[in-house]
């Protein structure tokens, strides 16, 4: 899996950063899930290596413009390109009205199946390979962070051992790979779980919406392989940041440290910061949590 940052700015685009959009690519399946869709996200998408035909789901954290104004354009362009793959959009109450109103008033439509799901805190989906849970954030409007958990992968089936014990190959091998029990024609019962190697631990990615400090942050980011957190302002501006439902460099890094996250990627930077400020902001984060990296537009991070 990997994360592609299509926009890393807060509030408004700047000459150096577009507004928020983060793509999670599920490499084995090739699917892409988009988290937030700020203005001009489709332009950023085209400038990246991502494929529009692989965009399967969009998760919206909240309804502020810098996180949703790119949706109407992206949806209609996808339709005009003749892409017919279905799409599902998840977001807080009001996301359905926003999308349907924008499409209706502009005389637009989607030529592909579009499902819009308004969420609450709790499990959003479980497709058998990934589970997504929404956590309420501390922002000035209803806002969520998303925890994406990959289910553990079963260990490899010990085919040589099965062969040595006289278990013939057949369609039942798939059941054995899933740890199920089968019964052979000679009456023997084989327990697949006894022939599997150690399971591979699934990855966990925590993607925060806009938020000030909140107790649920530690649950959202607990033992995450990668935690993506906003760092709108520098440490000295904590009062200003928190008053607007945002976090500072130190506050975000403290979440990663206390939650036991393996890595933190900082994003959602105020337009007041330019390229020359990056080193200072990174140093502030790393003074609390060393395994911190700063996102930039079009940066790709392997998970």
């Amino acid at each position: 899996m990997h994360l592609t940052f299509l926009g890393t700015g807060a509030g408004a685009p700047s000459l150096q950063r577009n507004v928020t959009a983060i793509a999670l690519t599920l490499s084995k399946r090739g699917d892409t899930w988009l988290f937030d869709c700020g203005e001009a996200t489709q332009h950023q998408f085209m400038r990246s290596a991502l494929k529009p035909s692989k965009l399967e789901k969009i998760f919206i954290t909240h309804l502020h413009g810098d996180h949703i104004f790119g949706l109407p354009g992206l949806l209609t362009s996808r339709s005009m390109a003749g892409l017919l793959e279905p799409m599902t959009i998840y977001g807080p109450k009001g996301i359905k009205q926003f999308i349907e109103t924008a499409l209706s008033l502009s005389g637009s439509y989607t030529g592909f199946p579009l499902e819009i799901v308004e969420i609450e805190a709790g499990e959003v989906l479980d497709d058998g390979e990934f589970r997504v849970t929404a956590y309420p954030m501390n922002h000035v409007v209803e806002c969520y962070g998303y925890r994406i958990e990959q289910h553990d992968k079963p260990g490899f089936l010990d085919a040589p051992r099965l062969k040595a014990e006289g278990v013939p190959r057949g369609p039942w091998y798939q059941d054995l790979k899933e740890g199920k029990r089968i019964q052979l024609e000679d009456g023997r019962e084989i327990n697949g779980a006894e022939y599997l190697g150690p399971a591979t631990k699934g990855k966990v990615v925590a993607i925060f919406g806009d938020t000030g400090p909140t107790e649920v942050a530690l649950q959202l980011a607990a033992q995450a392989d990668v935690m993506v957190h906003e760092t709108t302002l520098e440490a000295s501006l904590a009062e200003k940041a928190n008053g607007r439902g945002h976090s500072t460099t130190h506050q975000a890094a403290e979440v990663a440290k206390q939650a036991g996250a393996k890595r933190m990627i900082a994003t959602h930077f105020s337009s007041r910061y330019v390229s020359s400020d990056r080193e200072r902001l990174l140093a502030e984060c790393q003074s609390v949590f060393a395994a911190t990296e700063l996102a930039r537009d079009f940066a790709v991070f392997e998970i």
Side-chain angles (χ1 to χ4, degrees), residues 17 22 48 58 63 101 137-138 153 157 161 165 170 176 192 202 219 278 303:
R17 288 183 295 274
I22 305 168
S48 75
I58 301 177
L63 303 187
T101 300
M137 300 284 89
N138 175 20
K153 300 177 182 177
L157 186 66
R161 180 183 163 198
E165 295 182 8
L176 294 177
Q219 301 172 44
R278 286 179 58 84
I303 301 174

Side-chain angles (χ1 to χ4, degrees), residues 59 90 117-126 131-137 142-149 216 219-220:
F59 298 84
Y90 303 87
V117 180
E118 296 191 333
I119 67 168
E120 296 178 345
E123 184 176 288
V124 173
L125 70 89
D126 189 333
R131 178 174 183 259
V132 180
T133 309
Y135 288 79
M137 300 284 89
E142 183 179 6
C143 183
Y144 295 96
Y146 293 99
R147 180 179 174 92
I148 304 97
E149 299 171 281
V216 302
Q219 301 172 44
L220 171 55

Side-chain angles (χ1 to χ4, degrees), residues 42-278:
Q42 65 170 321
H43 293 258
Q44 302 289 89
F45 209 95
M46 290 187 289
R47 295 186 181 106
S48 75
L50 299 170
K51 297 180 179 179
S53 61
K54 294 295 186 178
L55 181 56
E56 181 189 66
K57 302 182 188 298
I58 301 177
F59 298 84
I60 299 298
T61 61
H62 64 293
L63 303 187
H64 276 160
D66 57 326
H67 294 255
I68 66 169
F69 282 171
L71 277 172
L74 184 148
L75 294 175
T76 53
S77 292
R78 189 175 189 268
S79 183
M80 292 172 66
L83 299 177
L84 301 178
E85 293 81 1
M87 178 184 289
T88 306
I89 299 177
Y90 303 87
K93 184 178 180 180
I95 187 63
K96 184 177 179 69
Q97 180 183 0
F98 170 76
I99 293 171
E100 291 181 345
T101 300
L103 295 179
S104 175
L105 292 179
S106 63
S108 304
Y109 63 91
T110 59
F112 53 86
L114 175 64
E115 181 181 9
I116 304 171
V117 180
E118 296 191 333
I119 67 168
E120 296 178 345
E123 184 176 288
V124 173
L125 70 89
D126 189 333
D127 66 3
E129 187 172 357
F130 292 91
R131 178 174 183 259
V132 180
T133 309
Y135 288 79
M137 300 284 89
N138 175 20
H139 198 43
V140 294
V141 297
E142 183 179 6
C143 183
Y144 295 96
Y146 293 99
R147 180 179 174 92
I148 304 97
E149 299 171 281
Q150 182 182 37
H151 292 300
D152 294 348
K153 300 177 182 177
F156 289 106
L157 186 66
D158 192 344
R161 180 183 163 198
L162 287 168
K163 181 179 180 181
E165 295 182 8
V167 179
R169 282 188 171 275
W172 47 83
Y173 259 47
Q174 184 59 44
D175 289 334
L176 294 177
K177 288 179 180 179
E178 295 173 1
K180 297 179 181 177
R181 292 178 179 270
I182 65 164
Q183 188 168 19
L184 300 177
E185 292 181 357
D186 60 12
R188 284 184 296 164
E189 188 175 86
I190 308 296
N191 181 6
E194 297 177 357
Y195 293 83
L196 293 177
T200 301
K201 183 70 175 174
K203 300 291 187 180
V204 176
V205 181
I207 298 178
F208 280 69
D210 290 6
T211 188
T214 175
E215 292 182 1
V216 302
L218 300 185
Q219 301 172 44
L220 171 55
Q223 306 302 313
D225 291 277
V226 176
M227 183 193 91
V228 180
H229 200 295
E230 66 127 293
T231 53
T232 304
L233 293 172
E234 60 198 272
S236 64
L237 299 177
E239 184 177 353
K240 182 174 184 178
N242 297 167
R244 297 177 179 178
H246 292 295
S247 296
T248 67
T249 50
H250 282 179
Q251 290 170 337
E254 191 63 37
V255 170
K257 179 180 178 181
Q258 293 187 24
K262 296 180 179 66
R263 296 166 66 193
M264 171 180 135
I265 303 175
T267 188
H268 199 266
F269 309 108
S270 168
S271 58
R272 71 173 59 203
Y273 301 117
V274 295
S275 295
S276 59
D277 294 311
R278 286 179 58 84

